Amino acid sequence: MSTATVTKAAPAAPQPGRRRISLPVLLLIIAGVLVLTSVVRLITDAHGITSTGQMSGALRLAVPIGLAGLGGLWAERAGVVNIGLEGMLILGTWFGAWAGYQWGPWVGIVFGVLGGALGGLLHAIVTVTFNVNHIVSGVALNILALGTTRYLSTFAFEGEEGGTSKQSPGVESLGKFSVPGLSDWLHDLNQKHWFLVSDIAGLLGGLLTDVSPLTLIAVAMVPLSWFILWRTAFGLRLRSCGENPIAAESLGVNVYKYKYLAVIISGGLAGLGGAFLSLVASNIYLEGQTGQRGYIGLAAMIFGNWMPGGLALGAGLFGYTDSLKLRGGGTNVHALLLLIAILLLIGAAYLIWRKRYVPAVITAAASALMFLWYGLTDEVPNQVVTATPYVVTLLVLSLSAQRLRMPKADGMPYRKGQGK
């Protein structure tokens, strides 16, 4: 079957009134936000918001979120909603730590992927073969994964040195590396606190300092997924199953096969994110260590409009806000209040230019409240810092909801031959 034939089966017609942001415009927006961040840093003297350590911590926290979101993207592009990402993350953490303790961290990575893929296979059987509601199946999988790992821990970890029914013994580290010379130079440049230059140095330094080999593998999954899904016949057929499975079937696509493959790959990617948590982030399995990152990964996928590049930006944003509570959280979040107030003010001006006066007034009022909050306080309470990642998740989804386009057949039941 030719690529052109499948293209006819699943046309991606843009919805009227919704224009995709082009790459140059997106890069211009990112550059503008970076400039504003540098201005806010100089005004507030909160140099930690773009420090090398802050960016390095944000990268570590963004990796499992990004891998979970990437797993969700694979499944939903084939038409299967995957709320079970959290459970697949949990399976990845447990199997990664168990095998890593037995045979070393690299074997642990393989078993973490297999554990997540096993969860994906179960989700595929329930949703694709038996047509159970995707949300119900995903929630059940999350509960099942938590109970299963707790049960297995009593046999695998209890009695071992440092192990209990809720945690594994320590696992050998994969190790970390920094780019010789360049990472130190960027760190020194970041410490000079120059306008914009130091901020860019902090961003790049965070990507080149104390990096795990697994981080590089995780980052490589983003362009690799984009290439497979958007530049190969396999990816085109898979996406056709999420857009119009009946038309795809009429052209010879084995819809069941592609849905199964997509959900299993989805679980494997989430399992890799779980292995990262237990082998890199902490070198130990600990019950509850996923911290609902599966759900945040799903939010990053939606924020990214079911595209790998946008997903990566979303994961980076959520990872950054999550890292704020680890490094001078109250001061840094307080400084970011000023940044948010300025961004909202710019947003209000843009809405006025588009003659959307009611949303403009609401946005301007929110900006005024942020300016007031910043002006009347010196530091944000720890409770607010802890809640920041979840508040940002809700705000981002609310603001981006108007321009989202999910696959047309995402979550819809499908039976072979139903189009006849």
Side-chain angles (χ1 to χ4, degrees), residues 16-325:
R18 295 184 183 179
R19 294 179 298 174
R20 287 182 58 185
I21 299 176
S22 63
L23 181 60
V25 172
L26 179 61
L27 293 176
L28 188 62
I29 293 173
I30 294 174
V33 172
L34 189 58
V35 169
L36 283 176
T37 303
S38 185
V39 171
V40 167
R41 176 181 60 81
L42 293 175
I43 292 175
T44 62
D45 205 31
H47 300 296
I49 61 176
T50 57
S51 68
T52 301
Q54 181 74 56
M55 296 303 177
S56 181
L59 178 62
R60 286 194 297 272
L61 291 169
V63 165
I65 294 173
L67 286 171
L70 202 58
L73 184 146
W74 271 83
E76 300 208 9
R77 278 294 173 180
V80 179
V81 175
N82 193 354
I83 297 294
L85 290 169
E86 178 70 14
M88 296 170 195
L89 269 178
I90 293 172
L91 291 172
T93 60
W94 193 92
F95 280 100
W98 173 73
Y101 173 67
Q102 302 287 338
W103 303 293
W106 287 106
V107 177
I109 291 173
V110 174
F111 272 78
V113 172
L114 292 176
L118 182 63
L121 176 61
L122 180 60
H123 187 53
I125 291 172
V126 174
T127 57
V128 178
T129 301
F130 295 102
N131 246 345
V132 173
N133 181 278
H134 299 189
I135 306 298
V136 173
S137 173
V139 172
L141 180 61
N142 292 338
I143 298 171
L144 179 64
L146 181 61
T148 300
T149 52
R150 181 178 297 175
Y151 176 75
L152 291 175
S153 294
T154 60
F155 295 98
F157 300 144
E158 275 192 354
E160 301 289 341
E161 184 178 355
T164 68
S165 61
K166 293 187 177 181
Q167 73 175 49
S168 71
V171 182
E172 181 185 349
S173 174
L174 281 170
K176 298 178 182 178
F177 68 92
S178 301
V179 178
L182 184 58
S183 60
D184 291 334
W185 177 71
L186 288 171
H187 177 73
D188 293 339
L189 195 59
N190 177 252
Q191 293 299 308
K192 295 184 183 298
H193 306 315
W194 292 339
F195 173 72
L196 193 58
V197 175
S198 293
D199 302 287
I200 295 175
L203 176 61
L204 296 176
L207 302 177
L208 301 174
T209 304
D210 293 334
V211 179
S212 167
L214 189 52
T215 302
L216 298 182
I217 295 173
V219 171
M221 290 294 106
V222 176
L224 181 62
S225 294
W226 172 83
F227 178 80
I228 293 174
L229 290 174
W230 274 270
R231 288 296 182 269
T232 67
F234 169 83
L236 194 55
R237 294 185 185 109
L238 186 147
R239 287 187 292 117
S240 73
C241 297
E243 295 290 340
N244 194 334
I246 297 175
E249 180 192 352
S250 70
L251 294 168
V253 175
N254 188 332
V255 177
Y256 278 2
K257 182 182 79 171
Y258 280 92
K259 284 181 178 286
Y260 261 86
L261 286 173
V263 181
I264 291 171
I265 292 171
S266 170
L269 287 167
L272 182 62
F276 183 92
L277 287 171
S278 59
L279 297 174
V280 176
S282 61
N283 295 116
I284 193 173
Y285 163 78
L286 186 65
E287 187 177 296
Q289 71 187 135
T290 57
Q292 315 303 317
R293 287 178 176 88
Y295 300 109
I296 299 179
L298 196 65
M301 178 204 67
I302 297 171
F303 165 78
N305 208 10
W306 288 265
M307 295 292 291
L311 183 153
L313 288 176
L317 173 64
F318 299 138
Y320 178 80
T321 55
D322 200 14
S323 68
L324 289 172
K325 60 188 179 185

